[in-house]
Amino acid sequence: ALISEFGKEQGGEIFDNWSQGGSKYDAAAVRAVIKSADPNGTIRIGTLFHLAKQSGYQPNRSGKSQHLINRNPILVVDKPKTDSEAQERLATSSIAQNIWDQADRQVSPSMPYVSRKQIIPTENLREIKLSKVQSLIGYVPQSSGKPLTGDTVLVAPVWMFTENGLAITNVELIDGNSKKAALAGKGTKKGGFWPATPLPEGDGAGTTILVAEGVATALSAQHATGHFAVASLSAGNLAEVGKVLLNRYPEADIVMLADLGNGQADAEKAARLINCRIAFPVLPESVEG
């Protein structure tokens, strides 16, 4: 954000000065970040202010934040007030896009989640070091209060239809133990989805779109049937995703894929709401759901 606002020399100097105040300051790592930063990147100064305020930054007040302002007076600028939720969506989207851009395009078959679920990743899944995610977002991503663990995590981008087409609004991070975490941000997940493959053009005529709750289910269904498949990434989001897809593809045959147990009621409700078909897995008696 600093480099996109002030350029590599000035922005990098401010970033380095701030970093020196941390107990884990690593000069070589800071230089590497500055070198790799894109002055024309998607993260702007508004994102910096937004995240700083979330962590207690109070403009023009005394205290630690004022100390930072005094050290870097160039950052004291008048910003017009904007809708806080819209700003939050923009900030989260920018961070999500940055994580996606910096993730490895090749997912290792030995990644614990991939090997245990026996799935074949598509181009819409990437892998990234968990430590790199932490450096990009400034905290350890958590699932139900428990931090994600392991060396790497999968990155599944959350897409939404916008006036300009599909856009990434968030990411779901999945560790080797199947713990999942998304970035904080209001309005960045409701109605958003993860497509296993690129979605079709047109109104959906002659097309079947499968709507699953999780990434592994969507991938398995797509590989087994050859149909388009998306993941809502939460049971409570199935109906919203169904409505979005029905609006975009009014002629498509949309099928809800219900998980047995938790989430089944949400899938049934979603199917009734948009008047579509629903499919349930049939497992051998020796296999636990």
Side-chain angles (χ1 to χ4, degrees):
L2 291 168
I3 287 173
S4 70
E5 182 75 9
F6 305 117
K8 284 226 173 187
E9 184 176 351
Q10 190 171 23
E13 182 180 357
I14 296 172
F15 173 60
D16 187 34
N17 288 338
W18 278 2
S19 298
Q20 290 179 39
S23 60
K24 297 182 180 180
Y25 174 70
D26 183 333
V30 168
R31 287 196 298 270
V33 170
I34 294 172
K35 183 178 180 181
S36 64
D38 182 3
N40 299 312
T42 58
I43 297 184
R44 306 295 183 182
I45 199 69
T47 301
L48 174 63
F49 276 91
H50 171 70
L51 294 176
K53 289 176 182 177
Q54 283 188 325
S55 299
Y57 170 65
Q58 298 291 331
N60 300 323
R61 294 184 183 180
S62 59
K64 292 182 178 180
S65 59
Q66 186 63 49
H67 173 62
L68 292 178
I69 293 175
N70 291 338
R71 288 175 60 187
N72 300 283
I74 193 169
L75 292 181
V76 183
V77 292
D78 293 324
K79 293 288 179 182
K81 292 185 178 180
T82 59
D83 177 72
S84 59
E85 187 168 320
Q87 189 177 30
E88 188 172 345
R89 287 197 300 268
L90 178 61
T92 303
S93 177
S94 296
I95 296 170
Q97 183 68 58
N98 194 32
I99 292 174
W100 179 243
D101 290 342
Q102 298 203 37
D104 296 327
R105 295 179 181 272
Q106 189 68 37
V107 176
S108 171
S110 63
M111 196 275 180
Y113 181 82
V114 172
S115 60
R116 188 174 66 257
K117 294 287 187 177
Q118 298 183 36
I119 57 176
I120 303 174
T122 66
E123 62 182 18
N124 209 22
L125 269 183
R126 294 181 183 178
E127 186 176 349
I128 192 171
K129 294 281 188 182
L130 182 56
S131 58
K132 190 170 186 178
V133 173
Q134 294 175 19
S135 69
L136 291 173
I137 66 179
Y139 61 88
V140 180
Q142 296 188 350
S143 173
S144 301
K146 297 181 179 179
L148 300 191
T149 57
D151 183 48
T152 64
V153 293
L154 285 181
V155 183
V158 180
W159 297 87
M160 282 188 185
F161 287 112
T162 69
E163 294 180 355
N164 299 317
L166 280 172
I168 293 177
T169 60
N170 208 315
V171 289
E172 179 166 274
L173 306 169
I174 309 173
D175 73 6
N177 296 314
S178 300
K179 293 198 297 290
K180 304 174 178 69
L183 305 176
K186 294 180 181 178
T188 60
K189 291 172 286 187
K190 185 178 180 181
F193 54 87
W194 176 82
T197 57
L199 290 173
E201 299 294 332
D203 61 5
T207 298
T208 298
I209 303 177
L210 310 176
V211 184
E213 180 181 337
V215 167
T217 302
L219 274 174
S220 299
Q222 186 269 324
H223 290 147
T225 65
H227 294 315
F228 294 98
V230 306
S232 68
L233 305 176
S234 74
N237 197 35
L238 284 167
E240 292 296 330
V241 171
K243 288 189 292 185
V244 166
L245 292 174
L246 187 62
N247 181 65
R248 173 62 182 81
Y249 301 105
E251 298 301 319
D253 181 16
I254 297 175
V255 182
M256 289 289 162
L257 304 183
D259 285 344
L260 297 181
N262 294 336
Q264 181 173 331
D266 289 288
E268 293 172 340
K269 179 181 177 181
R272 288 194 300 269
L273 182 66
I274 66 171
N275 192 29
C276 74
R277 292 189 292 161
I278 186 170
F280 299 91
V282 178
L283 303 176
E285 293 183 1
S286 61
V287 179
E288 296 183 359

